[in-house]
Amino acid sequence: MSDWHIPDDLRERYLEGRLEPALAMSVDAHLGRCAGCRAAVPYDEDWLEASWARLETELITPRPSLAERFLRHRGMPDHLARLLTATPTLSRAWLAAVVAVLAFAVLAARAQADLLPAFLVVAPMLPLAGIALAYGPRVDPAHELVAATPMSGPRLLLTRATAVLAVAVVLAGLASPLLPAPPGLSAAWLLPALAAASGCLALSNRLPVPIAALAVGGVWLAIVGAGGLAAGWPAVFGPAPQIGYGAAALLLTYRFHKRSTR
C-alpha cells in the first residue's frame, strides 16, 4: 500500500473538487503520509503563507470582543480585560435576566406601591447570583486554564465578583429613579447589596462560592422577614440598619482581604 500513489486523473479531479466526499477524504489521508504526492500538488506559496497567517491570527490571537476593546480603551491591562470579558455571568443571557428581573420589580412597584419592598429585597440578591456563577469548575469553562495562572484563587474571585457587582449595581441604579419612592428610599438597596457581596466573599474562604451565595441570600431574606414582621418593612431599610449594612460590608471585605493575603 505504501508503493501506491495518486494517479494523475484522480489528482486532477481532486484539485477540481469533483471527487465524492469519501474518496476525497482518502486522498487527503494519503497526501498527509506521502511526500511525493504532496510535491505533485501545485500550490501558491504566497497564498499558503497568507492562509497560515490568518489561521494563526484567529486561533492564537483571536479578535477581542467589543467589551474587551472598551475596557482596554479605558486603560485596563490586556490580560485583565480578557479575564473579565470571559466571566460567565457577564454574558448577554445573564444581563438580559438581570434587566428582566429589575424591570418586573419596577413595574410591579409602579402598579402597586405596596410592592416596592420587592425591588429593595431583590436588588441585593442579584450580585449574589452573579458571583455564584462567576467562579468555579462547574460554571466556568476556562476554570482549568485560569487555575494554573497567578490570577487563580481569591484574586480571580475578587476580580470577577467586583465586575459582577459593578454591573448589577449600575443596572439597579438605573432602575431606581423609576420607582414610586423618594430618592433615599429608592437607593436603600445599595448598602445591603454591598454587604451581601462582601459576606459571600468572606464565606468563600470556607465554603464553595455557590453555597456561600445561597447562605448569604438566606440570611438576607431572614433579616427582611424578621424585620418586616417586627416593625414593618421600612424599618429594614431605615437609617440605623443602613449604618449596620455599611459597617458589615467594610468588616467582611477586610476579613476576606486579610485571609486571602495569608
Side-chain angles (χ1 to χ4, degrees), residues 89-245:
T89 41
L90 295 183
S91 63
R92 295 177 183 177
W94 182 78
L95 293 175
V98 171
V99 171
V101 169
L102 292 173
F104 178 80
V106 169
L107 292 175
R110 292 183 68 86
Q112 188 173 347
D114 293 343
L115 296 178
L116 175 61
F119 181 92
L120 301 179
V121 172
V122 167
M125 298 185 68
L126 295 177
L128 288 177
I131 294 172
L133 298 174
Y135 181 82
R138 295 185 178 181
V139 295
D140 184 5
H143 181 80
E144 298 293 339
L145 295 175
V146 180
T149 70
M151 285 292 296
S152 63
R155 185 180 177 188
L156 175 61
L157 175 59
L158 179 60
T159 301
R160 286 186 165 176
T162 303
V164 170
L165 178 63
V167 172
V169 166
V170 168
L171 293 176
L174 293 174
S176 294
L178 303 176
L179 294 172
L185 186 57
S186 298
W189 55 269
L190 179 57
L191 288 178
L194 297 177
S198 301
C200 180
L201 292 176
L203 275 180
S204 67
N205 288 313
R206 299 180 178 275
L207 299 173
V209 177
I211 296 178
L214 186 63
V216 173
V219 171
W220 168 241
L221 292 178
I223 291 174
V224 173
L229 291 175
W233 71 264
V236 180
F237 300 96
Q242 293 291 337
I243 295 175
Y245 300 142

